[in-house]
Amino acid sequence: MQPQENNPQEQIDPRPYAGSDSFMLKALHGRMLSIDFFRRHWIAVLGVVIMLMIYITNRYTCQTQMETIQRLQHDLEVAKTERIREKSAYMSQIRESQMQHRVDSLGLGLTVQERPPFRITQDK
């Protein structure tokens, strides 16, 4: 009988990273978390899912409120600008020359006094 020689090629594992390969294969085939895992840890999984939902809801609410604040700040700036413009238009309309021009155009017959008003005092 001939002694069997160990062939060095047969002893070498063709997959040098078999542990990580099996891990990757399990992850790709969806076998990382079994139904048994969910049966044992259903409370923790439920808690994590609820916390994720709360986080997503909080982030969405915060983002929409920040957009509302920015929109309202823009509206406030527009309102302030409009108020300044209206005040300027009003101030130009109540100037004495503008008022005189308006009174003349309406034909009211009012004129500007040449003398200042008299102060009446009563002596005792």
Side-chain angles (χ1 to χ4, degrees), residues 8 21 24 47 71 73 76 81 89 98 115:
D21 227 9
M24 291 298 288
R71 181 180 49 82
Q73 284 178 341
L76 180 63
T81 305
Q98 287 288 347
R115 298 180 305 193

Side-chain angles (χ1 to χ4, degrees), residues 15-29:
R15 299 181 311 178
Y17 302 105
S20 66
D21 227 9
S22 64
F23 177 76
M24 291 298 288
L25 284 174
K26 283 182 181 179
L28 288 174
H29 292 280

Side-chain angles (χ1 to χ4, degrees), residues 4-74:
Q4 282 186 337
E5 293 181 19
N6 288 341
N7 190 356
Q9 291 178 351
E10 291 177 8
Q11 291 178 358
I12 297 175
D13 190 6
R15 299 181 311 178
Y17 302 105
S20 66
D21 227 9
S22 64
F23 177 76
M24 291 298 288
L25 284 174
K26 283 182 181 179
L28 288 174
H29 292 280
R31 289 181 276 171
M32 287 297 297
L33 300 174
S34 65
I35 193 73
D36 189 40
F37 172 81
F38 287 107
R39 282 188 189 138
R40 281 184 283 146
H41 305 289
W42 69 273
I43 294 175
V45 170
L46 183 65
V48 168
V49 168
I50 289 173
M51 290 179 76
L52 283 172
M53 294 297 286
I54 290 171
Y55 173 76
I56 291 169
T57 303
N58 187 30
R59 185 171 172 99
Y60 175 76
T61 303
C62 181
Q63 190 172 9
T64 55
Q65 287 179 351
M66 286 174 59
E67 289 171 358
T68 302
I69 288 170
Q70 287 176 349
R71 181 180 49 82
L72 290 174
Q73 284 178 341
H74 179 264

Side-chain angles (χ1 to χ4, degrees), residues 78-101:
V78 168
K80 283 181 179 179
T81 305
E82 184 68 21
R83 182 187 65 86
I84 290 171
R85 190 185 65 78
E86 288 293 327
K87 183 179 177 183
S88 173
Y90 174 73
M91 294 304 280
S92 70
Q93 287 180 356
I94 61 169
R95 287 192 186 117
E96 186 177 345
S97 60
Q98 287 288 347
M99 291 299 288
Q100 184 64 40
H101 179 68

